[in-house]
Amino acid sequence: MLENKVALVTGASSGIGREIARTLAKEGAFVIINYNGSQAGAEEAKGIIESEGGKAAVYQCNVSDFDACEAMMKDLVKEYGHIDILVNNAGITRDNLIMKMKEEDFDAVLNINLKGTFNTIRHLSRQMLKQRSGKIINISSVSGILGNAGQANYAASKAGVIGLTKTMARELASRGITVNAVAPGFVDTKMTQVLSEDVKKAACGQIPLGRFGKTSDIANVVAFLASEKADYITGQVISVDGGMNM
Ligand code: NAP
């Protein structure tokens, strides 16, 4: 389904991003696994993809760095000629109640989750406009839709991703580029493994389907949005959250 497509997945060294990379590769795409600090995780992801018959490469870049993102896109376009799919998945949390939240924690989350998404789109959009095609999928969160106590920085960043998605969808639609967001609920990854059992139990109580999501639940929707089956979908936010947002 994605043969001859080149996909860049940010933050693909672990968790949801790794599963997205794996799923796109299974569909036939050549996948570039972006990471920031976890080279071993990125190499492991590449190894898994190759062991399943897929093709992948790794690329280190801190997505919050505007110039580094420009250099990454230049390098990748030079190497592969085109980038057809961009998945903005890199993200962090620095949770705290507003009265205790440090300025640096607010800035760090906004810089990676929101500005990182701006940076990659900013530097790839010219190439996609030239190609007259492209699929951009941004990973938001149920927190960006509903809000979540203790996550002022994170919820603001993920709500920002939704505004960015809709605006990019409008700006790029005339050249056949679609831009959509996926908003996961609670998914079992490193990010949620830090939650206490009590918090996890309380979270499950808010999920109509009664369980945390699997990384594959998110990756399957991303693969659909990246495919030609989703050619007529743009500017949408798809909740994959067991029914939390309804
Ligand atoms: P994770 O396992 O902690 O993975 C986060 C990934 O982001 C890692 O690969 C990490 O790579 C990368 N990353 C962090 N900072 C980066 C930077 N500056 N530049 C490039 N990459 C960076 O978390 P996850 O749960 O899979 O989260 C993936 C995405 O889903 C995030 O956007 C998150 O907000 C969103 N999400 C998750 C949940 C959930 O419940 N898990 C729910 C809703 C939304 P390095 O280790 O190499 O830095």
Short mmCIF file of all heavy atoms in Angstrom, two decimals, residues 79-137:
data_model
loop_
_atom_site.label_atom_id
_atom_site.label_comp_id
_atom_site.label_asym_id
_atom_site.label_seq_id
_atom_site.Cartn_x
_atom_site.Cartn_y
_atom_site.Cartn_z
N GLU A 79 19.33 12.69 0.01
CA GLU A 79 19.59 11.25 0.04
C GLU A 79 18.49 10.44 -0.66
O GLU A 79 18.78 9.52 -1.41
CB GLU A 79 19.69 10.81 1.52
CG GLU A 79 19.95 9.34 1.75
CD GLU A 79 21.41 8.94 1.53
OE1 GLU A 79 22.29 9.81 1.64
OE2 GLU A 79 21.63 7.75 1.24
N TYR A 80 17.23 10.80 -0.40
CA TYR A 80 16.12 9.94 -0.87
C TYR A 80 15.29 10.57 -1.98
O TYR A 80 14.43 9.91 -2.55
CB TYR A 80 15.21 9.55 0.31
CG TYR A 80 15.99 8.88 1.42
CD1 TYR A 80 16.28 9.54 2.62
CD2 TYR A 80 16.51 7.59 1.25
CE1 TYR A 80 17.03 8.92 3.61
CE2 TYR A 80 17.27 6.98 2.25
CZ TYR A 80 17.51 7.66 3.42
OH TYR A 80 18.27 7.05 4.40
N GLY A 81 15.50 11.86 -2.26
CA GLY A 81 14.81 12.50 -3.40
C GLY A 81 13.43 13.04 -3.06
O GLY A 81 13.00 14.04 -3.62
N HIS A 82 12.74 12.40 -2.15
CA HIS A 82 11.39 12.85 -1.78
C HIS A 82 11.05 12.33 -0.39
O HIS A 82 11.56 11.30 0.03
CB HIS A 82 10.34 12.37 -2.79
CG HIS A 82 10.40 10.90 -3.08
ND1 HIS A 82 9.51 10.00 -2.56
CD2 HIS A 82 11.27 10.16 -3.82
CE1 HIS A 82 9.81 8.77 -2.98
NE2 HIS A 82 10.89 8.84 -3.75
N ILE A 83 10.16 13.05 0.28
CA ILE A 83 9.59 12.55 1.54
C ILE A 83 8.07 12.66 1.37
O ILE A 83 7.55 13.76 1.14
CB ILE A 83 10.06 13.35 2.77
CG1 ILE A 83 11.58 13.26 2.89
CG2 ILE A 83 9.40 12.82 4.05
CD1 ILE A 83 12.16 14.06 4.04
N ASP A 84 7.40 11.54 1.44
CA ASP A 84 5.98 11.51 1.14
C ASP A 84 5.10 11.57 2.38
O ASP A 84 3.95 12.01 2.30
CB ASP A 84 5.66 10.21 0.37
CG ASP A 84 6.61 10.04 -0.80
OD1 ASP A 84 6.46 10.80 -1.77
OD2 ASP A 84 7.54 9.21 -0.71
N ILE A 85 5.64 11.08 3.49
CA ILE A 85 4.85 10.98 4.72
C ILE A 85 5.68 11.56 5.87
O ILE A 85 6.85 11.18 6.04
CB ILE A 85 4.52 9.50 5.03
CG1 ILE A 85 3.70 8.88 3.88
CG2 ILE A 85 3.79 9.36 6.37
CD1 ILE A 85 3.74 7.35 3.86
N LEU A 86 5.08 12.47 6.62
CA LEU A 86 5.74 13.02 7.81
C LEU A 86 4.84 12.76 9.01
O LEU A 86 3.68 13.20 9.02
CB LEU A 86 5.97 14.53 7.65
CG LEU A 86 6.36 15.30 8.92
CD1 LEU A 86 7.74 14.84 9.44
CD2 LEU A 86 6.38 16.81 8.66
N VAL A 87 5.35 12.03 9.99
CA VAL A 87 4.59 11.80 11.22
C VAL A 87 5.30 12.53 12.36
O VAL A 87 6.43 12.18 12.73
CB VAL A 87 4.46 10.30 11.55
CG1 VAL A 87 3.57 10.11 12.79
CG2 VAL A 87 3.90 9.52 10.37
N ASN A 88 4.64 13.56 12.89
CA ASN A 88 5.21 14.32 14.01
C ASN A 88 4.75 13.67 15.31
O ASN A 88 3.64 13.94 15.80
CB ASN A 88 4.74 15.77 13.94
CG ASN A 88 5.52 16.54 12.90
OD1 ASN A 88 6.75 16.62 12.98
ND2 ASN A 88 4.83 17.06 11.90
N ASN A 89 5.59 12.79 15.82
CA ASN A 89 5.24 12.00 17.00
C ASN A 89 6.08 12.37 18.23
O ASN A 89 5.66 12.11 19.36
CB ASN A 89 5.42 10.51 16.66
CG ASN A 89 5.43 9.64 17.89
OD1 ASN A 89 4.39 9.28 18.44
ND2 ASN A 89 6.65 9.30 18.36
N ALA A 90 7.27 12.95 18.03
CA ALA A 90 8.16 13.23 19.16
C ALA A 90 7.43 14.05 20.22
O ALA A 90 6.77 15.03 19.90
CB ALA A 90 9.40 13.99 18.68
N GLY A 91 7.54 13.63 21.47
CA GLY A 91 6.85 14.38 22.52
C GLY A 91 7.34 14.00 23.90
O GLY A 91 7.86 12.90 24.10
N ILE A 92 7.17 14.93 24.83
CA ILE A 92 7.55 14.68 26.22
C ILE A 92 6.45 15.21 27.15
O ILE A 92 5.60 15.99 26.73
CB ILE A 92 8.89 15.37 26.60
CG1 ILE A 92 8.79 16.90 26.45
CG2 ILE A 92 10.04 14.82 25.76
CD1 ILE A 92 9.91 17.67 27.16
N THR A 93 6.52 14.78 28.41
CA THR A 93 5.68 15.38 29.46
C THR A 93 6.60 15.90 30.57
O THR A 93 7.70 15.36 30.78
CB THR A 93 4.73 14.34 30.09
OG1 THR A 93 5.49 13.20 30.48
CG2 THR A 93 3.62 13.90 29.15
N ARG A 94 6.15 16.94 31.25
CA ARG A 94 6.79 17.45 32.48
C ARG A 94 5.64 17.90 33.37
O ARG A 94 5.38 19.08 33.50
CB ARG A 94 7.71 18.64 32.19
CG ARG A 94 8.94 18.36 31.36
CD ARG A 94 10.10 17.83 32.20
NE ARG A 94 11.31 17.75 31.40
CZ ARG A 94 11.62 16.76 30.57
NH1 ARG A 94 10.82 15.74 30.43
NH2 ARG A 94 12.75 16.77 29.87
N ASP A 95 4.91 16.92 33.94
CA ASP A 95 3.64 17.23 34.61
C ASP A 95 3.84 17.90 35.97
O ASP A 95 4.74 17.54 36.73
CB ASP A 95 2.84 15.93 34.84
CG ASP A 95 2.41 15.25 33.53
OD1 ASP A 95 2.66 15.82 32.46
OD2 ASP A 95 1.82 14.16 33.62
N ASN A 96 2.96 18.80 36.27
CA ASN A 96 2.86 19.40 37.61
C ASN A 96 1.63 20.30 37.67
O ASN A 96 1.14 20.74 36.62
CB ASN A 96 4.11 20.23 37.94
CG ASN A 96 4.54 20.04 39.38
OD1 ASN A 96 3.71 19.80 40.25
ND2 ASN A 96 5.84 20.14 39.64
N LEU A 97 1.18 20.57 38.88
CA LEU A 97 0.07 21.52 39.00
C LEU A 97 0.60 22.92 38.67
O LEU A 97 1.78 23.21 38.87
CB LEU A 97 -0.50 21.48 40.42
CG LEU A 97 -1.19 20.14 40.76
CD1 LEU A 97 -1.57 20.11 42.25
CD2 LEU A 97 -2.43 19.92 39.90
N ILE A 98 -0.28 23.78 38.17
CA ILE A 98 0.15 25.08 37.63
C ILE A 98 0.97 25.88 38.65
O ILE A 98 1.95 26.53 38.30
CB ILE A 98 -1.07 25.89 37.12
CG1 ILE A 98 -0.64 27.11 36.32
CG2 ILE A 98 -1.99 26.30 38.25
CD1 ILE A 98 -0.14 26.83 34.95
N MET A 99 0.58 25.81 39.94
CA MET A 99 1.28 26.63 40.94
C MET A 99 2.71 26.15 41.18
O MET A 99 3.54 26.89 41.70
CB MET A 99 0.49 26.63 42.25
CG MET A 99 -0.85 27.31 42.03
SD MET A 99 -1.37 28.28 43.41
CE MET A 99 -1.55 27.09 44.68
N LYS A 100 2.98 24.89 40.79
CA LYS A 100 4.32 24.35 41.01
C LYS A 100 5.10 24.21 39.71
O LYS A 100 6.26 23.80 39.72
CB LYS A 100 4.20 22.96 41.65
CG LYS A 100 3.65 22.94 43.05
CD LYS A 100 3.71 21.51 43.55
CE LYS A 100 3.02 21.36 44.88
NZ LYS A 100 2.75 19.95 45.18
N MET A 101 4.46 24.50 38.59
CA MET A 101 5.12 24.24 37.30
C MET A 101 6.25 25.24 37.05
O MET A 101 6.04 26.45 37.13
CB MET A 101 4.10 24.29 36.16
CG MET A 101 4.68 23.82 34.84
SD MET A 101 3.41 23.63 33.58
CE MET A 101 2.67 22.08 34.08
N LYS A 102 7.42 24.70 36.74
CA LYS A 102 8.56 25.58 36.48
C LYS A 102 8.49 26.12 35.05
O LYS A 102 8.05 25.41 34.15
CB LYS A 102 9.86 24.78 36.64
CG LYS A 102 10.13 24.33 38.06
CD LYS A 102 11.56 23.79 38.12
CE LYS A 102 11.80 23.16 39.47
NZ LYS A 102 12.34 21.79 39.35
N GLU A 103 8.99 27.32 34.89
CA GLU A 103 9.00 27.93 33.56
C GLU A 103 9.73 27.03 32.57
O GLU A 103 9.30 26.82 31.44
CB GLU A 103 9.68 29.30 33.64
CG GLU A 103 9.66 30.04 32.31
CD GLU A 103 10.46 31.33 32.34
OE1 GLU A 103 11.18 31.59 33.33
OE2 GLU A 103 10.37 32.08 31.35
N GLU A 104 10.86 26.45 33.03
CA GLU A 104 11.64 25.62 32.10
C GLU A 104 10.88 24.37 31.67
O GLU A 104 11.06 23.87 30.56
CB GLU A 104 13.01 25.25 32.71
CG GLU A 104 12.93 24.31 33.88
CD GLU A 104 13.96 24.61 34.97
OE1 GLU A 104 14.09 25.78 35.37
OE2 GLU A 104 14.63 23.66 35.41
N ASP A 105 9.98 23.88 32.54
CA ASP A 105 9.19 22.71 32.17
C ASP A 105 8.08 23.07 31.19
O ASP A 105 7.71 22.28 30.33
CB ASP A 105 8.60 22.03 33.42
CG ASP A 105 9.69 21.31 34.22
OD1 ASP A 105 10.75 21.00 33.63
OD2 ASP A 105 9.48 21.07 35.42
N PHE A 106 7.55 24.27 31.35
CA PHE A 106 6.56 24.75 30.37
C PHE A 106 7.23 24.89 29.01
O PHE A 106 6.76 24.38 28.00
CB PHE A 106 5.95 26.08 30.82
CG PHE A 106 4.79 26.51 29.96
CD1 PHE A 106 3.51 26.06 30.21
CD2 PHE A 106 5.01 27.31 28.85
CE1 PHE A 106 2.44 26.42 29.39
CE2 PHE A 106 3.95 27.67 28.01
CZ PHE A 106 2.66 27.23 28.29
N ASP A 107 8.38 25.55 29.02
CA ASP A 107 9.08 25.82 27.75
C ASP A 107 9.54 24.52 27.06
O ASP A 107 9.41 24.38 25.85
CB ASP A 107 10.31 26.71 28.00
CG ASP A 107 9.90 28.14 28.36
OD1 ASP A 107 8.71 28.49 28.17
OD2 ASP A 107 10.76 28.90 28.84
N ALA A 108 10.06 23.59 27.85
CA ALA A 108 10.59 22.35 27.25
C ALA A 108 9.48 21.58 26.53
O ALA A 108 9.67 21.10 25.40
CB ALA A 108 11.20 21.46 28.34
N VAL A 109 8.32 21.49 27.16
CA VAL A 109 7.21 20.74 26.56
C VAL A 109 6.69 21.45 25.31
O VAL A 109 6.46 20.83 24.27
CB VAL A 109 6.09 20.51 27.61
CG1 VAL A 109 4.83 19.97 26.97
CG2 VAL A 109 6.59 19.55 28.69
N LEU A 110 6.53 22.77 25.40
CA LEU A 110 6.07 23.52 24.22
C LEU A 110 7.09 23.44 23.08
O LEU A 110 6.72 23.30 21.92
CB LEU A 110 5.79 24.98 24.59
CG LEU A 110 4.36 25.36 25.03
CD1 LEU A 110 3.40 25.32 23.84
CD2 LEU A 110 3.81 24.50 26.13
N ASN A 111 8.37 23.51 23.44
CA ASN A 111 9.41 23.53 22.41
C ASN A 111 9.49 22.22 21.63
O ASN A 111 9.72 22.21 20.43
CB ASN A 111 10.78 23.82 23.02
CG ASN A 111 10.97 25.31 23.23
OD1 ASN A 111 10.37 26.11 22.52
ND2 ASN A 111 11.78 25.67 24.20
N ILE A 112 9.30 21.10 22.33
CA ILE A 112 9.39 19.81 21.63
C ILE A 112 8.05 19.46 20.97
O ILE A 112 7.99 19.17 19.77
CB ILE A 112 9.86 18.70 22.59
CG1 ILE A 112 11.30 18.99 23.01
CG2 ILE A 112 9.73 17.31 21.95
CD1 ILE A 112 11.86 18.07 24.09
N ASN A 113 6.98 19.51 21.75
CA ASN A 113 5.69 19.02 21.24
C ASN A 113 5.09 19.92 20.17
O ASN A 113 4.56 19.43 19.17
CB ASN A 113 4.68 18.87 22.38
CG ASN A 113 5.14 17.88 23.45
OD1 ASN A 113 6.26 17.40 23.42
ND2 ASN A 113 4.28 17.60 24.41
N LEU A 114 5.13 21.22 20.39
CA LEU A 114 4.46 22.14 19.45
C LEU A 114 5.46 22.75 18.46
O LEU A 114 5.30 22.64 17.25
CB LEU A 114 3.71 23.23 20.22
CG LEU A 114 2.99 24.28 19.36
CD1 LEU A 114 2.01 23.64 18.38
CD2 LEU A 114 2.27 25.30 20.24
N LYS A 115 6.53 23.35 18.99
CA LYS A 115 7.47 23.99 18.06
C LYS A 115 8.17 22.95 17.20
O LYS A 115 8.44 23.18 16.02
CB LYS A 115 8.49 24.83 18.84
CG LYS A 115 9.27 25.74 17.91
CD LYS A 115 10.20 26.67 18.64
CE LYS A 115 11.19 27.22 17.64
NZ LYS A 115 12.56 27.14 18.09
N GLY A 116 8.39 21.75 17.78
CA GLY A 116 9.01 20.68 17.00
C GLY A 116 8.15 20.31 15.80
O GLY A 116 8.66 20.05 14.70
N THR A 117 6.84 20.32 15.99
CA THR A 117 5.91 20.00 14.90
C THR A 117 5.94 21.12 13.85
O THR A 117 5.97 20.86 12.65
CB THR A 117 4.49 19.80 15.48
OG1 THR A 117 4.57 18.76 16.46
CG2 THR A 117 3.49 19.41 14.42
N PHE A 118 5.97 22.36 14.33
CA PHE A 118 6.11 23.50 13.41
C PHE A 118 7.42 23.39 12.62
O PHE A 118 7.44 23.54 11.40
CB PHE A 118 6.08 24.82 14.20
CG PHE A 118 6.68 25.98 13.45
CD1 PHE A 118 5.99 26.58 12.41
CD2 PHE A 118 7.95 26.46 13.78
CE1 PHE A 118 6.56 27.64 11.70
CE2 PHE A 118 8.52 27.52 13.07
CZ PHE A 118 7.82 28.11 12.03
N ASN A 119 8.51 23.10 13.33
CA ASN A 119 9.83 23.09 12.68
C ASN A 119 9.89 22.10 11.51
O ASN A 119 10.41 22.44 10.43
CB ASN A 119 10.91 22.69 13.70
CG ASN A 119 11.24 23.80 14.68
OD1 ASN A 119 10.92 24.97 14.44
ND2 ASN A 119 11.87 23.44 15.79
N THR A 120 9.40 20.88 11.72
CA THR A 120 9.51 19.89 10.64
C THR A 120 8.62 20.26 9.47
O THR A 120 9.03 20.15 8.31
CB THR A 120 9.15 18.47 11.15
OG1 THR A 120 7.82 18.52 11.67
CG2 THR A 120 10.11 17.97 12.20
N ILE A 121 7.40 20.72 9.77
CA ILE A 121 6.49 21.09 8.67
C ILE A 121 7.06 22.30 7.92
O ILE A 121 7.06 22.35 6.69
CB ILE A 121 5.06 21.39 9.18
CG1 ILE A 121 4.47 20.15 9.86
CG2 ILE A 121 4.16 21.85 8.04
CD1 ILE A 121 3.11 20.38 10.52
N ARG A 122 7.58 23.25 8.69
CA ARG A 122 8.14 24.47 8.09
C ARG A 122 9.21 24.13 7.06
O ARG A 122 9.27 24.70 5.98
CB ARG A 122 8.73 25.34 9.23
CG ARG A 122 9.62 26.48 8.81
CD ARG A 122 8.84 27.60 8.14
NE ARG A 122 9.70 28.72 7.83
CZ ARG A 122 10.55 28.75 6.81
NH1 ARG A 122 10.64 27.72 5.98
NH2 ARG A 122 11.30 29.82 6.59
N HIS A 123 10.05 23.15 7.41
CA HIS A 123 11.18 22.85 6.53
C HIS A 123 10.89 21.76 5.50
O HIS A 123 11.69 21.53 4.61
CB HIS A 123 12.41 22.47 7.36
CG HIS A 123 12.91 23.63 8.17
ND1 HIS A 123 13.29 24.83 7.58
CD2 HIS A 123 13.10 23.80 9.49
CE1 HIS A 123 13.68 25.68 8.52
NE2 HIS A 123 13.56 25.08 9.69
N LEU A 124 9.76 21.08 5.63
CA LEU A 124 9.43 20.06 4.61
C LEU A 124 8.36 20.56 3.65
O LEU A 124 8.23 20.03 2.54
CB LEU A 124 8.97 18.76 5.28
CG LEU A 124 8.73 17.58 4.32
CD1 LEU A 124 10.02 17.22 3.56
CD2 LEU A 124 8.21 16.36 5.04
N SER A 125 7.60 21.59 4.04
CA SER A 125 6.44 21.96 3.22
C SER A 125 6.85 22.40 1.81
O SER A 125 6.17 22.05 0.84
CB SER A 125 5.62 23.05 3.92
OG SER A 125 6.44 24.12 4.29
N ARG A 126 7.97 23.10 1.66
CA ARG A 126 8.39 23.54 0.32
C ARG A 126 8.58 22.33 -0.60
O ARG A 126 8.13 22.33 -1.75
CB ARG A 126 9.68 24.36 0.42
CG ARG A 126 10.04 25.08 -0.87
CD ARG A 126 11.38 25.79 -0.72
NE ARG A 126 11.36 26.81 0.32
CZ ARG A 126 11.03 28.09 0.13
NH1 ARG A 126 10.71 28.49 -1.08
NH2 ARG A 126 11.03 28.94 1.12
N GLN A 127 9.25 21.30 -0.06
CA GLN A 127 9.48 20.09 -0.83
C GLN A 127 8.16 19.39 -1.16
O GLN A 127 7.93 18.98 -2.30
CB GLN A 127 10.39 19.14 -0.01
CG GLN A 127 10.58 17.76 -0.62
CD GLN A 127 11.31 17.78 -1.96
OE1 GLN A 127 12.07 18.70 -2.26
NE2 GLN A 127 11.06 16.76 -2.78
N MET A 128 7.26 19.31 -0.20
CA MET A 128 5.97 18.66 -0.46
C MET A 128 5.15 19.46 -1.48
O MET A 128 4.46 18.89 -2.31
CB MET A 128 5.18 18.45 0.84
CG MET A 128 5.66 17.24 1.63
SD MET A 128 4.51 16.82 2.96
CE MET A 128 5.15 15.22 3.48
N LEU A 129 5.25 20.80 -1.41
CA LEU A 129 4.54 21.64 -2.38
C LEU A 129 5.06 21.36 -3.78
O LEU A 129 4.30 21.26 -4.74
CB LEU A 129 4.69 23.12 -2.02
CG LEU A 129 3.89 23.58 -0.79
CD1 LEU A 129 4.32 24.97 -0.33
CD2 LEU A 129 2.39 23.59 -1.08
N LYS A 130 6.38 21.20 -3.89
CA LYS A 130 6.99 20.87 -5.19
C LYS A 130 6.50 19.52 -5.69
O LYS A 130 6.24 19.34 -6.87
CB LYS A 130 8.52 20.81 -5.04
CG LYS A 130 9.23 22.05 -5.51
CD LYS A 130 10.68 21.74 -5.78
CE LYS A 130 11.57 22.31 -4.70
NZ LYS A 130 12.93 21.84 -4.67
N GLN A 131 6.42 18.56 -4.75
CA GLN A 131 5.97 17.20 -5.10
C GLN A 131 4.48 17.17 -5.48
O GLN A 131 4.01 16.26 -6.12
CB GLN A 131 6.16 16.26 -3.90
CG GLN A 131 7.58 15.99 -3.53
CD GLN A 131 7.73 15.25 -2.18
OE1 GLN A 131 8.81 15.17 -1.65
NE2 GLN A 131 6.66 14.74 -1.61
N ARG A 132 3.74 18.20 -5.02
CA ARG A 132 2.29 18.25 -5.18
C ARG A 132 1.58 17.05 -4.54
O ARG A 132 0.54 16.59 -5.01
CB ARG A 132 1.89 18.41 -6.65
CG ARG A 132 2.29 19.75 -7.20
CD ARG A 132 1.77 20.00 -8.60
NE ARG A 132 1.88 21.42 -8.90
CZ ARG A 132 0.92 22.31 -8.71
NH1 ARG A 132 -0.23 21.95 -8.20
NH2 ARG A 132 1.11 23.58 -9.02
N SER A 133 2.19 16.57 -3.49
CA SER A 133 1.56 15.50 -2.71
C SER A 133 2.26 15.39 -1.37
O SER A 133 3.39 15.85 -1.21
CB SER A 133 1.64 14.16 -3.44
OG SER A 133 2.98 13.73 -3.48
N GLY A 134 1.60 14.77 -0.43
CA GLY A 134 2.22 14.56 0.88
C GLY A 134 1.16 14.27 1.92
O GLY A 134 0.00 14.69 1.78
N LYS A 135 1.57 13.53 2.92
CA LYS A 135 0.66 13.22 4.03
C LYS A 135 1.38 13.62 5.30
O LYS A 135 2.48 13.10 5.59
CB LYS A 135 0.37 11.71 4.10
CG LYS A 135 -0.18 11.12 2.82
CD LYS A 135 -1.68 11.29 2.76
CE LYS A 135 -2.23 10.49 1.59
NZ LYS A 135 -3.59 10.92 1.24
N ILE A 136 0.78 14.52 6.06
CA ILE A 136 1.35 14.93 7.34
C ILE A 136 0.38 14.50 8.44
O ILE A 136 -0.81 14.79 8.37
CB ILE A 136 1.60 16.46 7.38
CG1 ILE A 136 2.56 16.87 6.26
CG2 ILE A 136 2.14 16.88 8.76
CD1 ILE A 136 2.77 18.38 6.13
N ILE A 137 0.92 13.77 9.41
CA ILE A 137 0.09 13.30 10.52
C ILE A 137 0.76 13.74 11.82
O ILE A 137 1.93 13.41 12.08
CB ILE A 137 -0.08 11.77 10.48
CG1 ILE A 137 -0.78 11.37 9.17
CG2 ILE A 137 -0.91 11.29 11.68
CD1 ILE A 137 -0.07 10.37 8.37
#
